[in-house]
Amino acid sequence: MSECYEIIFEQVAFDDLYKLVRFIERESRTVSGLVVSEDLGEISSARISKRLIDKAISYVGNVCMVEQLHELNFLGVISLRLVWLRVVKYEGKVDVELSFSDVPPIAIDHVMLAAQRYAERLSTKFNMKIFYGGLEPAGDTDTRYFTGNTLGQL
């Protein structure tokens, strides 16, 4: 069984959420398999839309939206075959998560270093202060490859 890795962007601004999701989607070859945890009405596409994000933000409870990104490219350095993009709205906040397990046949250290540079680029572009990556669950500081610009335990 392979390891699962994730990159987390915490407390994404509502105004930047759609732009962030679209930016990440454009870095992949194709997008498919949209699943939404709550009934927010008709889903008219295979990807997260502006309308769907607006409905999720205005929804009273918690919501999770998940889609599959195929051939996601980290800065032209690393391409990941399949990445799960999750948008999690909870307690009036939104986190965006990238989760993957199928890594290229190179050292995971190289993959996660490229992931850190990619996350840093996104955090600067979309003004996100808190981002980190590591073994799933990346919230565990003992299994992090990076927290912001700082290298982690792994």
mmCIF file of all heavy atoms in Angstrom, residues 3 8 11 26 35 43 53 55 63 65 84-85 90 118 131-132:
data_model
loop_
_atom_site.group_PDB
_atom_site.id
_atom_site.type_symbol
_atom_site.label_atom_id
_atom_site.label_comp_id
_atom_site.label_asym_id
_atom_site.label_seq_id
_atom_site.Cartn_x
_atom_site.Cartn_y
_atom_site.Cartn_z
ATOM 1 N N GLU A 3 1.872 5.329 0.343
ATOM 2 C CA GLU A 3 1.604 6.433 1.266
ATOM 3 C C GLU A 3 0.701 7.457 0.585
ATOM 4 O O GLU A 3 0.725 7.614 -0.623
ATOM 5 C CB GLU A 3 2.917 7.110 1.651
ATOM 6 C CG GLU A 3 3.918 6.200 2.316
ATOM 7 C CD GLU A 3 3.594 5.908 3.767
ATOM 8 O OE1 GLU A 3 2.750 6.603 4.337
ATOM 9 O OE2 GLU A 3 4.191 4.981 4.310
ATOM 10 N N ILE A 8 -2.141 21.399 2.209
ATOM 11 C CA ILE A 8 -3.300 22.093 2.758
ATOM 12 C C ILE A 8 -3.071 23.598 2.702
ATOM 13 O O ILE A 8 -2.007 24.084 3.088
ATOM 14 C CB ILE A 8 -3.543 21.698 4.239
ATOM 15 C CG1 ILE A 8 -3.559 20.179 4.420
ATOM 16 C CG2 ILE A 8 -4.800 22.367 4.782
ATOM 17 C CD1 ILE A 8 -4.714 19.468 3.824
ATOM 18 N N GLN A 11 -7.862 28.454 5.544
ATOM 19 C CA GLN A 11 -8.589 29.722 5.616
ATOM 20 C C GLN A 11 -8.404 30.572 4.363
ATOM 21 O O GLN A 11 -7.981 31.733 4.412
ATOM 22 C CB GLN A 11 -8.201 30.482 6.876
ATOM 23 C CG GLN A 11 -8.514 29.686 8.123
ATOM 24 C CD GLN A 11 -8.118 30.384 9.401
ATOM 25 O OE1 GLN A 11 -8.021 31.601 9.431
ATOM 26 N NE2 GLN A 11 -7.901 29.616 10.458
ATOM 27 N N ARG A 26 -6.320 24.603 -14.030
ATOM 28 C CA ARG A 26 -5.595 24.890 -15.280
ATOM 29 C C ARG A 26 -4.205 24.254 -15.299
ATOM 30 O O ARG A 26 -3.629 24.065 -16.373
ATOM 31 C CB ARG A 26 -5.481 26.393 -15.508
ATOM 32 C CG ARG A 26 -6.755 27.010 -16.044
ATOM 33 C CD ARG A 26 -6.531 28.418 -16.548
ATOM 34 N NE ARG A 26 -6.035 29.338 -15.531
ATOM 35 C CZ ARG A 26 -6.801 30.070 -14.734
ATOM 36 N NH1 ARG A 26 -8.106 29.977 -14.803
ATOM 37 N NH2 ARG A 26 -6.260 30.882 -13.857
ATOM 38 N N VAL A 35 -17.785 15.537 -6.788
ATOM 39 C CA VAL A 35 -18.705 15.029 -5.767
ATOM 40 C C VAL A 35 -18.885 16.128 -4.723
ATOM 41 O O VAL A 35 -17.907 16.767 -4.321
ATOM 42 C CB VAL A 35 -18.144 13.755 -5.086
ATOM 43 C CG1 VAL A 35 -19.072 13.277 -3.984
ATOM 44 C CG2 VAL A 35 -17.903 12.657 -6.105
ATOM 45 N N ILE A 43 -25.922 20.104 -10.144
ATOM 46 C CA ILE A 43 -24.512 20.263 -10.499
ATOM 47 C C ILE A 43 -24.436 20.126 -12.007
ATOM 48 O O ILE A 43 -24.760 19.077 -12.555
ATOM 49 C CB ILE A 43 -23.634 19.202 -9.801
ATOM 50 C CG1 ILE A 43 -23.742 19.355 -8.297
ATOM 51 C CG2 ILE A 43 -22.201 19.306 -10.273
ATOM 52 C CD1 ILE A 43 -23.067 18.252 -7.520
ATOM 53 N N ILE A 53 -19.483 27.216 -5.834
ATOM 54 C CA ILE A 53 -18.742 27.820 -4.726
ATOM 55 C C ILE A 53 -19.620 28.831 -3.991
ATOM 56 O O ILE A 53 -19.667 28.840 -2.760
ATOM 57 C CB ILE A 53 -17.432 28.460 -5.216
ATOM 58 C CG1 ILE A 53 -16.418 27.354 -5.512
ATOM 59 C CG2 ILE A 53 -16.865 29.442 -4.187
ATOM 60 C CD1 ILE A 53 -15.118 27.825 -6.107
ATOM 61 N N LYS A 55 -22.849 28.828 -3.766
ATOM 62 C CA LYS A 55 -23.853 28.070 -3.004
ATOM 63 C C LYS A 55 -23.234 27.456 -1.744
ATOM 64 O O LYS A 55 -23.847 27.458 -0.684
ATOM 65 C CB LYS A 55 -24.469 26.978 -3.869
ATOM 66 C CG LYS A 55 -25.450 27.494 -4.882
ATOM 67 C CD LYS A 55 -26.067 26.331 -5.636
ATOM 68 C CE LYS A 55 -27.187 26.801 -6.529
ATOM 69 N NZ LYS A 55 -27.941 25.665 -7.064
ATOM 70 N N VAL A 63 -19.639 21.868 4.168
ATOM 71 C CA VAL A 63 -19.720 21.323 2.812
ATOM 72 C C VAL A 63 -18.327 20.883 2.382
ATOM 73 O O VAL A 63 -17.337 21.552 2.685
ATOM 74 C CB VAL A 63 -20.226 22.385 1.802
ATOM 75 C CG1 VAL A 63 -20.232 21.816 0.386
ATOM 76 C CG2 VAL A 63 -21.593 22.899 2.164
ATOM 77 N N MET A 65 -16.438 19.615 -1.269
ATOM 78 C CA MET A 65 -16.488 19.369 -2.712
ATOM 79 C C MET A 65 -15.170 18.725 -3.104
ATOM 80 O O MET A 65 -14.106 19.180 -2.688
ATOM 81 C CB MET A 65 -16.672 20.682 -3.476
ATOM 82 C CG MET A 65 -17.966 21.394 -3.144
ATOM 83 S SD MET A 65 -18.127 22.980 -3.981
ATOM 84 C CE MET A 65 -17.121 24.018 -2.907
ATOM 85 N N TRP A 84 -6.505 14.533 -5.859
ATOM 86 C CA TRP A 84 -7.847 14.882 -5.398
ATOM 87 C C TRP A 84 -7.802 16.308 -4.878
ATOM 88 O O TRP A 84 -7.020 16.624 -3.988
ATOM 89 C CB TRP A 84 -8.291 13.937 -4.282
ATOM 90 C CG TRP A 84 -8.404 12.514 -4.741
ATOM 91 C CD1 TRP A 84 -7.415 11.575 -4.728
ATOM 92 C CD2 TRP A 84 -9.545 11.896 -5.312
ATOM 93 N NE1 TRP A 84 -7.892 10.398 -5.248
ATOM 94 C CE2 TRP A 84 -9.195 10.563 -5.613
ATOM 95 C CE3 TRP A 84 -10.834 12.341 -5.599
ATOM 96 C CZ2 TRP A 84 -10.101 9.674 -6.181
ATOM 97 C CZ3 TRP A 84 -11.722 11.450 -6.154
ATOM 98 C CH2 TRP A 84 -11.349 10.135 -6.448
ATOM 99 N N LEU A 85 -8.633 17.169 -5.456
ATOM 100 C CA LEU A 85 -8.772 18.548 -4.993
ATOM 101 C C LEU A 85 -10.026 18.609 -4.128
ATOM 102 O O LEU A 85 -11.118 18.271 -4.586
ATOM 103 C CB LEU A 85 -8.918 19.501 -6.185
ATOM 104 C CG LEU A 85 -9.327 20.941 -5.850
ATOM 105 C CD1 LEU A 85 -8.247 21.644 -5.047
ATOM 106 C CD2 LEU A 85 -9.628 21.715 -7.114
ATOM 107 N N TYR A 90 -16.154 24.834 6.555
ATOM 108 C CA TYR A 90 -16.514 24.445 7.911
ATOM 109 C C TYR A 90 -16.448 25.678 8.805
ATOM 110 O O TYR A 90 -15.586 26.538 8.637
ATOM 111 C CB TYR A 90 -15.552 23.366 8.432
ATOM 112 C CG TYR A 90 -14.129 23.866 8.530
ATOM 113 C CD1 TYR A 90 -13.592 24.272 9.745
ATOM 114 C CD2 TYR A 90 -13.333 23.995 7.403
ATOM 115 C CE1 TYR A 90 -12.296 24.771 9.843
ATOM 116 C CE2 TYR A 90 -12.048 24.488 7.479
ATOM 117 C CZ TYR A 90 -11.537 24.872 8.701
ATOM 118 O OH TYR A 90 -10.271 25.376 8.779
ATOM 119 N N TYR A 118 5.440 25.039 -5.272
ATOM 120 C CA TYR A 118 4.134 25.267 -5.881
ATOM 121 C C TYR A 118 3.180 25.903 -4.869
ATOM 122 O O TYR A 118 2.504 26.894 -5.169
ATOM 123 C CB TYR A 118 3.578 23.932 -6.385
ATOM 124 C CG TYR A 118 2.227 24.013 -7.040
ATOM 125 C CD1 TYR A 118 2.075 24.567 -8.304
ATOM 126 C CD2 TYR A 118 1.105 23.493 -6.411
ATOM 127 C CE1 TYR A 118 0.841 24.618 -8.915
ATOM 128 C CE2 TYR A 118 -0.133 23.545 -7.012
ATOM 129 C CZ TYR A 118 -0.262 24.102 -8.275
ATOM 130 O OH TYR A 118 -1.493 24.156 -8.876
ATOM 131 N N PHE A 131 -0.035 27.352 4.936
ATOM 132 C CA PHE A 131 -0.018 26.204 4.028
ATOM 133 C C PHE A 131 1.058 25.240 4.495
ATOM 134 O O PHE A 131 2.058 25.634 5.082
ATOM 135 C CB PHE A 131 0.198 26.632 2.573
ATOM 136 C CG PHE A 131 1.541 27.259 2.293
ATOM 137 C CD1 PHE A 131 2.590 26.498 1.820
ATOM 138 C CD2 PHE A 131 1.751 28.615 2.491
ATOM 139 C CE1 PHE A 131 3.829 27.075 1.549
ATOM 140 C CE2 PHE A 131 2.974 29.207 2.233
ATOM 141 C CZ PHE A 131 4.018 28.433 1.758
ATOM 142 N N TYR A 132 0.800 23.978 4.278
ATOM 143 C CA TYR A 132 1.743 22.941 4.685
ATOM 144 C C TYR A 132 1.479 21.666 3.909
ATOM 145 O O TYR A 132 0.424 21.503 3.292
ATOM 146 C CB TYR A 132 1.662 22.683 6.199
ATOM 147 C CG TYR A 132 0.263 22.480 6.740
ATOM 148 C CD1 TYR A 132 -0.315 21.224 6.780
ATOM 149 C CD2 TYR A 132 -0.473 23.556 7.212
ATOM 150 C CE1 TYR A 132 -1.600 21.048 7.270
ATOM 151 C CE2 TYR A 132 -1.753 23.395 7.712
ATOM 152 C CZ TYR A 132 -2.312 22.128 7.734
ATOM 153 O OH TYR A 132 -3.587 21.951 8.215
#
